[in-house]
Amino acid sequence: MCVSWQERFADTPDVLASAACRQTVVDVLDLKIGAGECIAMAGPCSVETEFQLIATALHVRRSGARVLRGGAFKPRSSPYAFQGLGLEGLKLLARAREESGLAIVTEVLSECDVSLVAEYADILQIGARNMENYALLEAAARSGRPILLKRGLVATIADLLRSAQLILNFGNPNVMLCERGIRTFETAMRNTFDAAGIAVLKQVTHLPVIADPSHAAGRRDMVPALARIAVAAGADGLLIEVHPTPDEAWSDGEQSLDFAEFEAMMTALTPWMELRSLELERRETGIEAIEVLG
Ligand code: PEP
Ligand code: MN
């Protein structure tokens, strides 16, 4: 018999699924993330202009997205790349929420900015490069906002769970785990999408699991395939980069879908979403049957 997940991840007991807590549901505006539906979160890598953001918000909503993503503070690999609009970007996000009704997820880079970002955002994103920035995790946790915690570029699942446990320890139960690709010896794509990691997280934790095929693939032609895999693996949500004119995007244009591509991807995902629901029902019935027997 192999070791139990409880033993394997013994130092992060509170993130593990148990009879007492099988699934955390994160409430964001009228959304219930983790309650069964796979929720699409979409939008540009960076907030650039009012037109870019509002047009994207309206289009992704029409195609079925429920959350608008967009970075106002950007962690960039190059110090010379666009660093984000800051407060002006946050204000544009708030305007886009008013216009579209979509909830807003945006990254917070530094603990100094947490209260400002929390004023405007519905969900705080902790980026891959900050997964182990404990001062930031503490400040974000204490803001009381739900947190989308991205897996670090070289973080194991145990590392990701440790950061999630820390947020819970600071009194914030509303954590969503995000698989966004990791660095391996494989270089064909920007990162290696750990689809097995999604399945493991779904099996082991009670926290909602979100997949980001855009940063995993690093190229737009692979995003729909990775999204399909994420849905099949049971992800509770997808985080997808969408831009009106990806080739002109100020950041991550290569991996951004245009409106038509996003709509086509969402339509193509429908049968996979249905299969995912059937699988969830089957699992629920199985667990209930075991509980009745046990
Ligand atoms: C992003 O979401 O645009 C981003 C910078 O993500 P990550 O932290 O996963 O690289
Ligand atoms: Mn990006």
Side-chain angles (χ1 to χ4, degrees):
M1 183 63 185
C2 56
V3 293
S4 70
W5 293 117
Q6 271 70 19
E7 289 170 83
R8 177 75 184 73
F9 297 117
D11 57 345
T12 55
D14 301 327
V15 304
L16 303 183
S18 64
C21 183
R22 288 212 308 253
Q23 179 65 54
T24 286
V25 173
V26 176
D27 287 303
V28 180
L29 302 183
D30 61 335
L31 296 175
K32 295 202 170 294
I33 304 172
E37 194 188 341
C38 179
I39 293 187
M41 310 179 180
C45 178
S46 305
V47 177
E48 298 168 7
T49 65
E50 179 165 8
F51 168 78
Q52 171 241 20
L53 191 65
I54 306 277
T56 306
L58 297 177
H59 273 88
V60 299
R61 189 193 60 183
R62 214 166 299 141
S63 303
R66 312 289 302 278
V67 178
L68 177 67
R69 62 145 291 145
F73 294 92
K74 295 304 301 176
R76 304 308 307 284
S77 305
S78 161
Y80 306 109
F82 174 58
Q83 307 286 316
L85 295 182
L87 176 58
E88 191 191 332
L90 295 176
K91 288 182 176 165
L92 289 177
L93 285 164
R95 195 159 326 142
R97 174 178 44 217
E98 262 171 48
E99 296 271 333
S100 66
L102 295 173
I104 300 296
V105 58
T106 194
E107 177 162 358
V108 58
L109 269 183
S110 145
E111 68 264 32
C112 309
D113 297 327
V114 165
S115 55
L116 179 70
V117 178
E119 241 181 78
Y120 290 89
D122 302 297
I123 303 169
L124 300 183
Q125 176 174 320
I126 302 291
R129 289 157 195 80
N130 268 323
M131 189 202 82
E132 288 184 323
N133 178 342
Y134 292 145
L136 176 61
L137 294 180
E138 175 172 2
R142 293 196 192 281
S143 78
R145 287 284 187 208
I147 291 175
L148 179 74
L149 177 65
K150 285 194 150 195
R151 181 176 178 183
L153 278 70
V154 291
T156 64
I157 287 173
D159 296 332
L160 175 64
L161 295 183
R162 267 190 288 274
S163 291
Q165 173 77 47
L166 205 77
I167 298 171
L168 299 191
N169 290 352
F170 287 121
N172 189 334
N174 296 313
V175 183
M176 294 168 266
L177 305 170
C178 181
E179 162 58 34
R180 48 77 75 206
I182 49 174
R183 286 214 175 130
T184 67
F185 58 84
E186 177 55 65
T187 54
M189 286 185 273
R190 183 174 176 181
N191 291 293
T192 299
F193 186 49
D194 188 6
I198 296 175
V200 168
L201 291 172
K202 283 304 297 171
Q203 175 83 18
V204 168
T205 85
H206 55 79
L207 299 172
V209 179
I210 312 297
D212 174 348
S214 305
H215 289 85
R219 44 184 298 153
R220 73 183 72 115
D221 60 354
M222 290 306 295
V223 170
L226 300 195
R228 204 155 62 228
I229 292 167
V231 171
D236 297 290
L238 296 171
L239 189 69
I240 310 280
E241 287 187 334
V242 178
H243 192 282
T245 48
D247 291 334
E248 291 163 25
W250 298 359
S251 60
D252 284 349
E254 330 78 73
Q255 67 201 30
S256 301
L257 304 181
D258 66 20
F259 297 158
E261 287 164 341
F262 180 67
E263 188 177 352
M265 186 194 82
M266 292 294 281
T267 305
L269 280 177
T270 309
W272 300 90
M273 295 282 191
E274 282 163 12
L275 281 174
R276 178 184 165 282
S277 303
L278 285 176
E279 169 66 14
L280 276 178
E281 266 171 45
R282 195 193 59 77
R283 274 237 230 162
E284 277 301 303
T285 324
I287 290 168
E288 275 158 26
I290 289 168
E291 279 175 1
V292 169
L293 285 174

